[in-house]
Amino acid sequence: MLKPTSTEKQTNDQVANKDGQTLTLIYQAIVADLFRNITVTWNKSPSNHFISINVENPINEKSHYTCKIDLKAWQLWCRKGLKNLEVDGRKLDVYWDFRQAKFSSSPAPDSDYYVAIVTKEEVVLLLGDLKQDAYKRTKRKPPLVEATLLCKQESVYGKDMFCTRSTLGEGEEEHEIIIENSLSGPGDPEMWIRINGVTAIHVMNLYWTFRGNEIVSTKNNTSIKVFWDVHDWLFSNSSSTYGLFMFNPSKEESASTDNLDGRNLDNGNHEDEDKYNSSEEIQSLSGYCHLLYAWKIK
């Protein structure tokens, strides 16, 4: 389970950096005989492109173990390397190879790379698709207990459409998520959230339903709780505002499991705004969650 204080602070720092793209993945893995959160942050801006790896120190939240890897195109000698950390007196190695990495719009590579975090005889966390290359180079074996992805946090930018991909807590397969909105024109403002091309949520008259949540079901009957808060899209005069979305696999059963057509609507009463606007409540949810900041460029 995520810790609201540290995660919320990190999220606020990311949101404040509107000049660049940020993608953060929070894993839980066994490091130095303890379950620890490992935060992997990909950051890309006009002047910087790097990955930062932060290993949790349960004894002192203000003192983490950090490794930063620059990915600038002109630093070719940095595309493959090794760095060492010491975690509670134990050696931790970080191997990486980005020489053939392919990038698109995301600050993280799409393919042809690996980042391996190694301690003792195990690769406790392995990122990327070149897994065999990583195991061959590190000469280590997979861990007895696989690392678990706890949270994905990212910022995306657009005017009327925002796209992302998420595992939704269902293994490695990613689902396409598209958020569309219509805020101008003669009609009331509306919003659509589509998962794998199917309309999961259609919110009408956003002036009254700018905060809310629904439970939807994927095609394999996994229930997903979706939170949204698009207050600033509608009522802020800033040239760049964000809507907050959160996708969290839910143990609750949806009203129907017919390919996202059945939903348990729970957004009729918004007098108690804290019900939907509490970041601490969102961060305290158990299991995987995907936190998305959709920056609307006016």
Side-chain angles (χ1 to χ4, degrees):
M1 182 179 296
L2 298 180
K3 297 182 179 180
T5 52
S6 60
T7 305
E8 182 179 353
K9 179 182 184 303
Q10 180 184 21
T11 300
N12 291 338
D13 290 342
Q14 295 169 14
V15 172
N17 182 19
K18 294 186 291 183
D19 294 330
Q21 298 172 281
T22 302
L23 170 64
T24 296
L25 303 169
I26 303 176
Y27 297 86
Q28 187 177 79
I30 297 179
V31 179
D33 299 328
L34 293 176
F35 279 102
R36 303 173 191 257
N37 286 357
I38 300 178
T39 302
V40 179
T41 300
W42 303 85
N43 187 287
K44 185 177 182 180
S45 68
S47 59
N48 288 295
H49 190 189
F50 63 86
I51 172 178
S52 176
I53 299 171
N54 184 299
V55 181
E56 177 188 24
N57 182 352
I59 299 176
N60 185 354
E61 292 187 357
K62 297 182 179 180
S63 176
H64 297 293
Y65 309 99
T66 303
C67 172
K68 182 179 177 181
I69 303 169
D70 286 320
L71 300 174
K72 298 175 184 177
W74 57 87
Q75 293 183 337
L76 297 179
W77 61 89
C78 293
R79 289 302 185 94
K80 181 179 180 181
L82 164 65
K83 285 189 176 183
N84 310 112
L85 299 175
E86 186 175 293
V87 178
D88 292 352
R90 310 282 185 88
K91 183 182 177 183
L92 186 145
D93 298 321
V94 181
Y95 296 81
W96 68 88
D97 189 344
F98 295 103
R99 292 176 298 172
Q100 305 299 323
K102 294 180 175 58
F103 292 86
S104 57
S105 59
S106 173
D110 293 329
S111 64
D112 299 328
Y113 78 100
Y114 68 78
V115 179
I117 301 177
V118 177
T119 180
K120 288 187 176 181
E121 299 299 321
E122 295 182 340
V123 179
V124 296
L125 179 61
L126 180 56
L127 309 176
D129 57 336
L130 300 182
K131 298 184 184 299
Q132 294 304 316
D133 290 356
Y135 286 124
K136 181 178 179 180
R137 181 184 173 198
T138 62
K139 299 179 181 179
R140 300 295 196 278
K141 60 185 179 181
L144 294 177
V145 179
E146 292 285 343
T148 302
L149 178 60
L150 299 179
C151 183
K152 179 177 181 179
Q153 304 174 12
E154 66 177 323
S155 295
V156 296
Y157 299 81
K159 292 185 177 180
D160 303 316
M161 180 182 295
F162 306 88
C163 303
T164 186
R165 302 188 68 86
S166 178
T167 63
L168 297 179
E170 301 174 345
E172 296 185 358
E173 179 186 359
E174 289 191 325
H175 301 265
E176 181 185 60
I177 299 175
I178 297 178
I179 300 170
E180 293 186 75
N181 64 80
S182 176
L183 304 185
S184 59
D188 292 328
E190 297 180 75
M191 180 178 69
W192 298 262
I193 300 176
R194 298 185 174 92
I195 301 178
N196 296 329
V198 179
T199 300
I201 296 174
H202 179 197
V203 183
M204 303 175 64
N205 195 351
L206 280 176
Y207 285 127
W208 293 99
T209 53
F210 54 82
R211 292 190 185 104
N213 67 61
E214 292 190 21
I215 295 177
V216 301
S217 178
T218 62
K219 59 185 179 182
N220 59 356
N221 296 337
T222 298
S223 295
I224 306 297
K225 180 173 286 187
V226 182
F227 292 81
W228 68 88
D229 183 344
V230 295
H231 174 276
D232 289 355
W233 280 2
L234 299 161
F235 304 111
S236 174
N237 294 323
S238 173
S239 60
S240 179
T241 59
Y242 70 85
L244 175 62
F245 298 84
M246 199 278 296
F247 303 86
N248 175 241
S250 172
K251 293 182 180 180
E252 302 178 49
E253 294 295 330
S254 59
S256 170
T257 56
D258 187 12
N259 286 346
L260 293 169
D261 289 331
R263 299 186 293 275
N264 180 9
L265 181 61
D266 186 22
N267 64 344
N269 183 1
H270 298 277
E271 294 180 359
D272 184 7
E273 294 185 354
D274 288 339
K275 180 177 180 181
Y276 308 108
N277 197 34
S278 170
S279 59
E280 290 190 2
E281 179 184 352
I282 289 177
Q283 295 295 340
S284 66
L285 291 172
S286 61
Y288 170 81
C289 71
H290 185 164
L291 197 60
L292 177 69
Y293 290 86
W295 287 91
K296 188 174 182 63
I297 309 302
K298 297 183 180 179

